[in-house]
Amino acid sequence: MNDLIYARSQMGMSLAFHILFAVAGITLPLMMVIAEWMHLKTRDPIYAEIAKRWATGTAVLFAIGAVSGTVLSFELGLLWPGFMQWAGSIIGLPFSLEGFAFFTEAIFLGIYLYGRKIVTPSMHLFAGIVVAVSGALSAVFVVIANAWMNYPVGFKLQNGMPVEIDPIAAMTSPAAGPQVVHMLIASYAAIGFLAAGVHAYMLLKDKTDQFHRKAMAIALAVGATAAIAEPISGDFIARMVAHTQPVKLAALEGQFDTEDGAPLRIGGVPDVKNRVTPYSIELPKLLSVLAFHDPNARVKGLNDFARDLWPPVLLVHLNFQVMVACGGAMALMSTWAALLYLKTKRVPDHVLFLKCMVLAAPLGCIAVEAGWMVTEFGRQPWVISNILRTHHAATPVPGLLIPFLFFTLVYILLSICVIWLMLRLFSNTNPVTAPVEPAPEGLSDV
Amino acid sequence: MSDSALILAIVMIFALNFYALMGGADYGSGVWDLLAMGPRRDEQRKLIADAIAPIWEANHVWLILVVVVLFSAFPKAFALLSVSMHIPLTLILFGIIARGTAFIFRKYDSRIDEVQRRWGTIFAISSLITPMLLGVVVAAISSGNVLADHAGKTFVDLYIAPWCSWFCLATGIFAVTLFSFLAANYLAFYAGSEELKTDFRNRAIVSQVLCGISALSVWILADLEAPDLRTALANSPWSLGLQAATAMCAMFSLYALVARRFQIARLAAALQVSLIIWGWALSQYPYMIRPVYTIAQAAGPASTCNMLVIVIALGACLLFPAFYFLYSVFNHKSEN
């Protein structure tokens, strides 16, 4: 039984680690391509420098994402052979497609990073675009596989085993569309905000710095657009969850009793023993409105499900609250940014705004982590909803504490190194104005 | 067995072959980083870093392709492999993490020598250990010691004995020498100066000799510890032809190295490595994990296999031009 906890912890930790690099690998290339396109359009060398700086970030984060992704592909078997034996043939297709997307991303990133002086500027830009698109496609395919685990389709069940497998149909789980959109937008919002926060911090030190001003403008354009769109996508995903995974919805909301016109709870600490959620602000009928677009709709409560089929309610609810709070704050920040821009017609550089932006920098990454906790904890005790229990999927290999401890150590060390390296990279004084670093090569002299 | 399952097994061997030729050579380059010495030690390391930097990530994806095809088309084999090889595979993962991250950190961290050397050492040592363990796993699934039935078996029987043998160790060493040999050939071709070319030519010749010795030890140990594989390797209709071809490649690459014809030497080296991989695959046939699963027994449903064949065919149409483009961009650079 303890081994199950270690297996779950190791998988969860690997995913929590990998997801940040994955979202960076989706968003940084987009920002870098926008900067490069701006450079080609305006011939402003600052944009070329911004593109280069983000490309370096992409290089580091993609490399770590590539190895941590490799670890995950092996861990699927090392920790969950029962799951892979059951489901490998059903969800192998999106993983194979992801493999090709990953190939494309790696190949064109090599060309983008090292071919700057070799290929033509338009080919260079094209390589960057391919990296951005294939990075996003990788996420699409992986999330499709995850959506299948939440709401499996594309096969028939016979004596507990899948028959008549249709791998294409398996990619069309009703959970797939909303999940994919939600994850992609979250990626853009999270990394857009993170980068905007870093550049806002540098702008606070020197408001005249054109490098950080322009960099923040691009990061904010990407991050704020996504952060405003994310609540809309949240509405779609909430309705999908309400229809396909009612027990998850009940856990999200700390909803114990089945109720017509259920309220939306803000905050609150679900008490599983007494089956109540105290300390919350309840907004009447709002949950029914959000989940079913009908103020009197019936929302199933946890009490309608057998106790052993409940996910860890407290964890799911709290993570959900964290995700929504972060997302809400980001949407507000984005609206503020938009208003400031409309009023002044330039990059928002109000001191209070910049300070808030610095504080908001990690919110997207926190929301991404919390969101994955919600969807993964919310599916427990199943690895495949209503079909395969997580403990039936786990490996029979004993002593999983040891690899868990080793992976923990490795991931902690890696995190320290990456944070150190990124701070070094992005807080560097702008080399365009300060000749400490060698003059920027590349775009401007192609 | 459905035809598509066999096709997918062949695709996996091709992917493994490409992984050996590209990713394997990246590992081998790391070994030469570890063993860099002489008056041009720093130039050797710089050449290695320049040669693999643009391509190592793309090269690495071949391994992921093998894993993905394995679990999609042969989920039972993937599950059994993951359980019985849990320990070496976990160690391989540590090696993959250490190598990739140390390489990228070395590139972007401070240029101070001490910092550079620290990352360089991690990169080089993991480049040695990872392919060795890959060789161990390949040997383990060929030697017939993987157990399907867990009843009454000890931890050692199940999770250690299948891969802990002299045959597996020898195969691991063979993999390292082979990849180092391959890398030395590529680096001799890629090097800018005649002195550097000579450095790597000499390394290629030495490692080819070591390859021969380790191949011989694998051959002898197979007799004791992997008899079925050895029988297939020695007594099949194709045995003599394949072994003669491999030996000829090996001799020819030695000749080309001595004659400093590096383009031909690297092609001969690549052919030699490929022949060894296909020789292994043919002697493993029809098994996937000896003795538990044949390809047919491990195969998933035909609907999935057929779809995968289509996806891989389409993917290949995208992949090969892209790879060709990548390699032509950076080969062009070396000629300038």
Side-chain angles (χ1 to χ4, degrees):
Chain A
M1 193 61 203
N2 274 336
D3 274 326
L4 178 63
I5 295 292
Y6 297 135
R8 285 180 59 190
S9 304
Q10 186 180 326
M11 195 70 190
M13 184 178 56
S14 304
L15 276 166
F17 184 84
H18 176 71
I19 197 168
L20 292 181
F21 297 94
V23 297
I26 294 164
T27 311
L28 271 181
L30 176 69
M31 286 162 43
M32 145 192 120
V33 164
I34 294 173
E36 180 158 345
W37 182 73
M38 292 292 285
H39 167 66
L40 291 177
K41 213 177 86 170
T42 62
R43 294 279 143 200
D44 180 344
I46 291 178
Y47 283 119
E49 179 57 29
I50 294 171
K52 278 195 71 179
R53 199 68 73 84
W54 282 339
T56 310
T58 305
V60 175
L61 300 178
F62 178 80
I64 297 168
V67 294
S68 58
T70 310
V71 169
L72 280 171
S73 67
F74 277 91
E75 277 178 344
L76 286 173
L78 290 174
L79 301 173
W80 314 108
F83 166 61
M84 291 313 287
Q85 182 157 348
W86 207 96
S89 308
I90 313 177
I91 55 167
L93 189 60
F95 278 115
S96 306
L97 291 167
E98 195 268 343
F100 283 106
F102 185 29
F103 251 133
T104 315
E105 192 179 2
I107 289 172
F108 282 90
L109 186 63
I111 293 168
Y112 185 88
L113 291 175
Y114 296 92
R116 209 179 278 278
K117 287 186 166 175
I118 305 171
V119 299
T120 62
S122 49
M123 177 48 89
H124 192 250
L125 180 68
F126 173 74
I129 293 171
V130 174
V131 173
V133 171
S134 49
L137 278 177
S138 292
V140 170
F141 293 127
V142 168
V143 175
I144 284 176
N146 179 265
W148 181 88
M149 294 161 70
N150 286 326
Y151 193 84
V153 294
F155 62 96
K156 285 197 177 116
L157 211 53
Q158 198 175 75
N159 303 324
M161 293 307 285
V163 293
E164 296 180 38
I165 290 167
D166 179 348
I168 299 270
M171 289 178 66
T172 61
S173 164
Q179 265 196 262
V180 163
V181 172
H182 200 63
M183 182 73 241
L184 268 186
I185 297 177
S187 307
Y188 295 128
I191 300 301
F193 260 68
L194 191 62
V198 172
H199 294 295
Y201 178 76
M202 300 308 289
L203 267 186
L204 276 171
K205 287 185 172 174
D206 176 10
K207 265 200 173 188
T208 62
D209 190 320
Q210 289 302 306
F211 175 85
H212 291 296
R213 177 176 293 264
K214 286 175 172 159
M216 193 186 79
I218 296 173
L220 201 54
V222 170
T225 312
I228 288 174
E230 189 68 334
I232 303 166
S233 127
D235 176 57
F236 280 94
I237 206 166
R239 279 184 289 145
M240 178 277 287
V241 170
H243 283 104
T244 60
Q245 303 150 72
V247 65
K248 187 187 263 182
L249 182 78
L252 287 175
E253 293 294 342
Q255 179 80 29
F256 286 94
D257 293 321
T258 297
E259 214 172 325
D260 293 330
L264 185 73
R265 285 179 193 76
I266 302 193
V269 183
D271 176 352
V272 178
K273 212 169 151 198
N274 296 313
R275 305 194 173 202
V276 285
T277 303
Y279 314 118
S280 65
I281 303 166
E282 297 197 355
L283 305 176
K285 296 192 188 264
L286 201 55
L287 178 57
S288 291
V289 173
L290 289 176
F292 298 100
H293 286 193
D294 168 6
N296 296 314
R298 173 166 296 188
V299 176
K300 273 192 159 191
L302 286 160
N303 291 336
D304 272 18
F305 301 90
R307 177 65 188 89
D308 70 326
L309 296 184
W310 291 10
V313 180
L314 183 66
L315 277 172
V316 175
H317 180 71
L318 290 184
N319 274 301
F320 181 66
Q321 299 291 315
V322 169
M323 178 187 80
V324 171
C326 291
M330 290 163 74
L332 285 179
M333 278 299 295
S334 305
T335 315
W336 186 10
L339 291 176
L340 279 176
Y341 174 74
L342 287 177
K343 205 171 132 193
T344 59
K345 294 285 169 207
R346 61 199 179 95
V347 183
D349 60 356
H350 194 278
V351 172
L352 184 62
F353 174 80
L354 291 180
K355 283 183 176 164
C356 288
M357 199 62 230
V358 173
L359 290 178
L363 291 185
C365 293
I366 297 171
V368 163
E369 294 288 6
W372 266 105
M373 299 296 168
V374 169
T375 193
E376 292 301 289
F377 279 127
R379 196 187 54 244
Q380 301 306 322
W382 306 100
V383 63
I384 307 170
S385 286
N386 301 317
I387 290 180
L388 188 67
R389 295 278 190 115
T390 307
H391 66 91
H392 287 143
T395 182
V397 179
L400 294 180
L401 174 64
I402 296 164
F404 168 64
L405 288 180
F406 270 106
F407 274 104
T408 308
L409 190 69
V410 166
Y411 283 135
I412 289 173
L413 287 176
L414 276 183
S415 307
I416 293 170
C417 294
V418 173
I419 291 169
W420 160 248
L421 210 61
M422 287 292 115
L423 286 179
R424 236 176 68 91
L425 181 68
F426 283 100
S427 62
N428 252 355
T429 336
N430 172 12
V432 176
T433 51
V436 189
E437 283 196 359
E441 55 177 53
L443 289 170
S444 49
D445 53 44
V446 180
Chain B
M1 167 175 38
S2 68
D3 287 343
S4 50
L6 182 61
I7 292 171
L8 289 170
I10 294 169
V11 165
M12 282 170 60
I13 302 299
F14 267 111
L16 213 55
N17 192 353
F18 285 120
Y19 184 58
L21 294 184
M22 301 176 185
D26 295 341
Y27 288 120
S29 303
V31 173
W32 295 123
D33 183 293
L34 186 67
L35 299 177
M37 59 179 90
R40 286 172 297 280
R41 196 185 67 178
D42 292 343
E43 282 128 295
Q44 291 167 9
R45 290 199 166 124
K46 185 171 182 320
L47 174 72
I48 290 163
D50 289 347
I52 72 175
I55 51 174
W56 72 271
E57 282 162 318
N59 294 346
H60 173 75
V61 188
W62 290 110
L63 180 65
I64 296 177
L65 189 67
V66 174
V67 171
V68 167
V69 175
L70 182 63
F71 74 56
S72 309
F74 307 97
K76 286 185 214 161
F78 179 66
L80 179 64
L81 181 79
S82 305
V83 171
S84 57
M85 298 296 142
H86 188 100
I87 295 169
L89 287 176
T90 302
L91 294 173
I92 286 172
L93 291 184
F94 285 124
I96 287 172
I97 295 176
R99 183 184 72 120
T101 53
F103 185 74
I104 202 84
F105 287 156
R106 180 174 69 171
K107 184 165 172 57
Y108 292 105
D109 202 347
S110 153
R111 309 309 297 176
I112 299 165
D113 277 354
E114 190 197 333
V115 176
Q116 289 283 304
R117 224 30 251 147
R118 188 181 62 209
W119 293 126
T121 308
I122 298 175
F123 161 70
I125 292 175
S126 49
S127 294
L128 177 76
I129 293 172
T130 312
M132 171 136 172
L133 288 164
L134 284 168
V136 166
V137 170
V138 167
I141 62 168
S142 321
S143 50
N145 297 326
V146 175
L147 302 174
D149 188 8
H150 282 211
K153 296 293 191 298
T154 65
F155 181 84
V156 172
D157 293 340
L158 287 167
Y159 307 118
I160 295 183
W163 54 269
C164 195
S165 70
W166 292 110
F167 170 66
C168 292
L169 180 67
T171 311
I173 294 171
F174 182 43
V176 173
T177 55
L178 206 56
F179 290 161
S180 306
F181 164 68
L182 196 58
N185 274 282
Y186 291 177
L187 290 165
F189 172 76
Y190 191 78
S193 73
E194 287 305 310
E195 291 86 1
L196 263 186
K197 280 182 184 293
T198 307
D199 283 355
F200 283 106
R201 179 193 73 158
N202 296 344
R203 282 162 173 72
I205 292 171
V206 171
S207 51
Q208 177 73 305
V209 173
L210 292 175
C211 270
I213 296 170
S214 52
L216 193 66
S217 65
V218 169
W219 179 254
I220 293 167
L221 288 165
D223 199 24
L224 303 168
E225 295 181 342
D228 295 343
L229 184 81
R230 157 80 180 240
T231 307
L233 202 54
N235 299 335
S236 300
W238 44 263
S239 296
L240 191 64
L242 191 95
Q243 283 170 31
T246 312
M248 274 167 61
C249 265
M251 300 311 285
F252 187 72
S253 81
L254 273 179
Y255 157 77
L257 283 167
V258 171
R260 300 183 73 87
R261 297 175 67 176
F262 296 117
Q263 168 73 313
I264 295 177
R266 105 182 149 142
L267 291 177
L271 190 59
Q272 178 188 336
V273 172
S274 305
L275 284 170
I276 289 167
I277 287 170
W278 284 96
W280 164 76
L282 281 172
S283 20
Q284 179 79 337
Y285 183 84
Y287 284 98
M288 186 150 255
I289 297 180
R290 203 183 274 271
V292 183
Y293 287 131
T294 62
I295 296 170
Q297 287 163 345
S303 57
T304 301
C305 292
N306 293 338
M307 190 50 68
L308 278 172
V309 169
I310 295 169
V311 164
I312 288 169
L314 293 175
C317 297
L318 190 79
L319 188 62
F320 284 106
F323 253 112
Y324 177 78
F325 182 48
L326 176 74
Y327 276 74
S328 64
V329 163
F330 295 106
N331 258 334
H332 176 71
K333 182 183 155 201
S334 71
E335 286 160 19
N336 283 348

